[in-house]
Amino acid sequence: MSLERGTEQITRVLLWRHGNTDWNAEQRVQGQLDVPVNDRGRAQAQAAAAVLARHETQLMITSDLSRCTRTAAPLAELTGLTPERDARLRERNFGDWQGLTTPEVRERFPESYARWRAADPDPGDGIESIADLGKRVSETIRQAAERVPGGTVILVSHGGAIKYGVAALLGWPEEMLPTVAPVQNCHWVDLMLQPSYGWRISAYNVGV
């Protein structure tokens, strides 16, 4: 069923962050390393799926990393959808920092860590720039919406990918980004595309 406001069809895209992992709890940089969800993450996914299944979703796409595909599994069971995988929904590549805890990063890479803390969009050490991250994720959002005009899409992704993908899609200025909180585990962002208005954000960091 399509969403309609007046005579216009509204396309909806929900960006859902994966469930908790042991590395989240350890404050260890995951980036694009394939870290699985833990028991808490699986329970989060099950609870969120019961809520998200209320939407009449036509398409579900996940990051190809297992913490996203495993998060998507309970919703796939409830909806009967077969999730597609798209590497463009992966988390930001954190280069030399991947696998390290935050204190280890601060000790080994003090200059780039300081730049990152100061919201430098390209801090170095092989870390993917905010511009590149936002471009690949926002493109995926647009293309997914084009496939189901007037319908609903769920994209299962990662905290940084969701935040910066949404920012790029909506044209948020760079200086605004540090004021936007990260999306929590198994929470989501609700976007709406209406022909007369374009893209708008309906809800941010929503959870069970």
Side-chain angles (χ1 to χ4, degrees), residues 14 19 21 52 67 71 74 85 98-99 132 147 166-167 171 199 208:
L14 301 173
T21 73
L52 292 170
R67 55 190 182 272
T71 296
R85 299 186 184 190
Q98 294 186 162
D132 289 344
R147 293 174 58 184
V166 168
W199 284 100
V208 175

Side-chain angles (χ1 to χ4, degrees), residues 68-87:
C68 286
T69 59
R70 182 60 186 83
T71 296
L75 183 58
E77 291 179 7
L78 290 173
T79 62
L81 291 170
T82 300
E84 300 177 10
R85 299 186 184 190
D86 193 326

